[in-house]
Amino acid sequence: MTVVNIIEEAETLNAKLAPLSLAERLSFVAGLDVRVVFTTSLGIEDQVITAEIGNHRLPIDVVTLQTGRLFPETLALIEETENQYDIHITRYEPEQADIEAYAAKYGMNGFYESVEARHACCGVRKLKPLARALAGATIWITGLRRGQSANRAETPFAEYDAERHLLKINPLADWDIETIKSYVADNSVPVNPLHARGYPSIGCEPCTRAIKPGEPERAGRWWWEQDEKRECGLHVGEEATAVAAR
Ligand code: SF4
């Protein structure tokens, strides 16, 4: 598929997916004759998508980035989710040599010291494993929502990821958090107990804290950094070129 084709596909898919339900959106992309990968962080949005994939037995590869710094609650939820939906969630882990090289240069928790050191850690523990997880995929499904942060306010249903040369599908882009919570309650979806303790967005344990009432959903991620657009590099950057109408 050429770059032009894949951009056109994003524009077409965005229009096609907009009026559909979540199940219809997922079924549509699962029915395309390409490898479809869903990356889950086990957050509440991702649990909704996993429930749909599991309940409808959709041919979508469910994977997670086991960074080695996740909360015990998140690790337990991976297994609980597999059992509940009778699916396998493939864990992608960082290379030990990369971890050792990072620790030698920055210290194991060097990410607190500078943005550069933090990005280097996310690169080793998230971005490189993500590249392996997405190898051979044409479509990447994510749980991004417009309401998660100002940075994600214009998330389309389909966009072209130029760096990874694939189509990124965000089937929950237009869902709000109340709709997510209702779905979880109505369908007995297992969720991370940390959500109830003030963690709406959950990443690695040393880089996530509970938020205060009124703070944005992602305010607890890399809280010591000043940049309002702080992300781990999975979803935001020059490489993520949204081309679809929003
Ligand atoms: S979130 Fe923190 S611990 Fe996890 S990969 Fe990024 S810097 Fe490292």
Side-chain angles (χ1 to χ4, degrees), residues 41 65-72 74 111-112 121-122 125-126 194 199 201-209 220-224 232:
S41 68
L65 306 178
Q66 213 303 30
T67 65
R69 304 301 300 264
L70 299 180
F71 286 90
T74 305
F111 40 78
Y112 293 125
C121 185
C122 286
R125 293 184 183 273
K126 293 184 172 181
L194 291 171
Y199 294 76
S201 177
I202 304 168
C204 292
E205 185 167 14
C207 300
T208 309
R209 72 175 181 184
R221 306 290 298 276
W222 308 290
W223 70 91
W224 64 91
C232 59

Side-chain angles (χ1 to χ4, degrees), residues 118-192:
R118 204 268 287 170
H119 282 296
C121 185
C122 286
V124 164
R125 293 184 183 273
K126 293 184 172 181
L127 295 180
K128 286 185 74 174
L130 176 69
R132 282 188 273 120
L134 294 176
T138 300
I139 291 181
W140 174 21
I141 295 175
T142 85
L144 296 187
R145 285 190 304 107
R146 294 167 190 159
Q148 286 170 323
S149 67
N151 209 28
R152 296 182 175 181
E154 297 188 8
T155 300
F157 297 111
E159 58 189 313
Y160 171 52
D161 187 317
E163 181 177 302
R164 302 179 180 93
H165 188 52
L166 45 65
L167 287 171
K168 197 157 108 179
I169 303 296
N170 311 307
L172 291 177
D174 57 346
W175 283 44
D176 60 33
I177 189 62
E178 295 310 320
T179 308
I180 296 277
K181 288 178 178 174
S182 295
Y183 179 102
V184 163
D186 294 346
N187 296 278
S188 302
V189 177
V191 296
N192 198 317

Side-chain angles (χ1 to χ4, degrees), residues 46-110:
D46 290 345
Q47 289 300 90
V48 169
I49 294 175
T50 300
E52 291 284 322
I53 291 172
N55 287 334
H56 296 284
R57 313 309 302 165
L58 297 175
I60 294 172
D61 293 339
V62 182
V63 310
T64 194
L65 306 178
Q66 213 303 30
T67 65
R69 304 301 300 264
L70 299 180
F71 286 90
E73 290 88 343
T74 305
L75 297 175
L77 185 58
I78 296 174
E79 293 191 13
E80 182 184 358
T81 304
E82 289 181 316
N83 292 335
Q84 176 147 336
Y85 297 107
D86 190 23
I87 60 171
H88 176 66
I89 301 175
T90 306
R91 286 83 157 157
Y92 283 86
E93 300 177 355
E95 301 284 351
Q96 190 56 35
D98 289 341
I99 296 292
E100 290 170 6
Y102 179 87
K105 182 171 182 181
Y106 298 103
M108 193 57 82
N109 288 344

